[in-house]
Amino acid sequence: MVTIVVAMGFKNEIGAGNQLLWHLPKDLKHFKEITSGHPIIMGRKTFESIGKPLPNRTNIVISRRNDWFQEGILIVGSIKEALKFAKKIDENVFIIGGGDIYKQTLDATDVLEVTRVNAELKADVFFPGIDPKIWLKTSETCIGKDEKHAYDFCFERWERKVKL
Ligand SMILES: NC(=O)c1ccc[n+]([C@@H]2O[C@H](COP(=O)([O-])OP(=O)(O)OC[C@H]3O[C@@H](n4cnc5c(N)ncnc54)[C@H](OP(=O)(O)O)[C@@H]3O)[C@@H](O)[C@H]2O)c1
């Protein structure tokens, strides 16, 4: 099963200046719980934004560059290769961004684990959008803002109802 994990605002905004748009510790914990022990696939820019491999997960990073190298990750030259490697390691594969990679993998994805943040923020990277003709929301859990969380947010699970 291929799952996209993404946190987005009301306009599907996900990032600006190669950074996330918010700091939500409970969302980071949720992300860790979902992805730990499984391969994660990301674009080179997202890897650079995180700055290091995420522990307890095989980090697969996609880049077209031949001269780019980092310790502790598997670098591949295409999305096809990333999915091939990841599926060899585990039947549950997670795609963790960013916008460029989400756009190219959405059609090959079975499940979306979305954190919908109750905010509309300036951004330069967006998620392509969830078409309700293709996706069905199967669960939703909302969390209110507090001193550590500047926005309310909901964890939503979407399952593909139309195979492409
Ligand atoms: N809110 C969230 O859940 C979330 C999650 C992740 C990231 N983000 C945010 O998203 C932003 C980064 O996203 P982005 O769209 O700019 O970049 P990205 O998707 O992380 O990475 C793009 C890079 O991936 C490589 N790439 C893309 N398609 C490829 C292909 N078909 N074959 C080979 N390589 C390919 C290229 O690397 P090379 O240039 O090296 O060739 C490309 O420049 C940041 O702001 C980050 O904070 C948000």
Side-chain angles (χ1 to χ4, degrees):
M1 191 164 71
V2 178
T3 300
I4 278 181
V5 190
V6 60
M8 57 180 147
F10 272 143
K11 291 181 300 181
N12 299 339
E13 66 273 38
I14 66 165
N18 212 28
Q19 296 296 320
L20 294 176
L21 299 167
W22 35 67
H23 176 68
L24 301 169
K26 284 183 186 165
D27 183 45
L28 296 177
K29 185 166 173 265
H30 176 72
F31 175 84
K32 189 175 169 187
E33 281 166 5
I34 294 178
T35 58
S36 282
H38 304 291
I40 50 175
I41 295 173
M42 72 197 90
R44 192 261 310 160
K45 291 183 185 169
T46 291
F47 176 77
E48 289 195 329
S49 153
I50 298 170
K52 59 177 178 11
L54 292 173
N56 307 319
R57 284 150 278 193
T58 304
N59 288 236
I60 302 173
V61 180
I62 310 174
S63 172
R64 295 186 182 90
R65 295 188 185 176
N66 314 316
D67 58 346
W68 187 76
F69 178 78
Q70 296 286 321
E71 293 280 345
I73 61 172
L74 185 60
I75 302 169
V76 296
S78 70
I79 287 173
K80 198 172 161 196
E81 224 181 324
L83 287 168
K84 191 181 92 184
F85 275 118
K87 285 176 180 173
K88 269 191 198 161
I89 297 167
D90 191 339
E91 59 185 2
N92 286 317
V93 172
F94 291 85
I95 295 168
I96 66 158
D100 196 4
I101 298 300
Y102 289 143
K103 227 173 279 160
Q104 299 176 71
T105 54
L106 186 57
D107 287 353
T109 297
D110 306 297
V111 171
L112 308 175
E113 294 283 2
V114 175
T115 303
R116 181 66 76 170
V117 182
N118 188 3
E120 268 193 42
L121 300 171
K122 256 190 146 175
D124 54 28
V125 184
F126 295 81
F127 192 78
I130 302 174
D131 182 348
K133 289 200 285 298
I134 296 179
W135 298 95
L136 178 70
K137 198 199 286 182
T138 56
S139 74
E140 183 177 63
T141 309
C142 295
I143 295 179
K145 63 180 170 186
D146 61 20
E147 67 283 354
K148 290 191 178 146
H149 299 80
Y151 309 105
D152 303 322
F153 54 98
C154 295
F155 297 129
E156 304 172 348
R157 181 180 168 92
W158 294 78
E159 293 178 24
R160 176 180 289 285
K161 56 183 184 184
V162 177
K163 293 265 178 234
L164 295 176

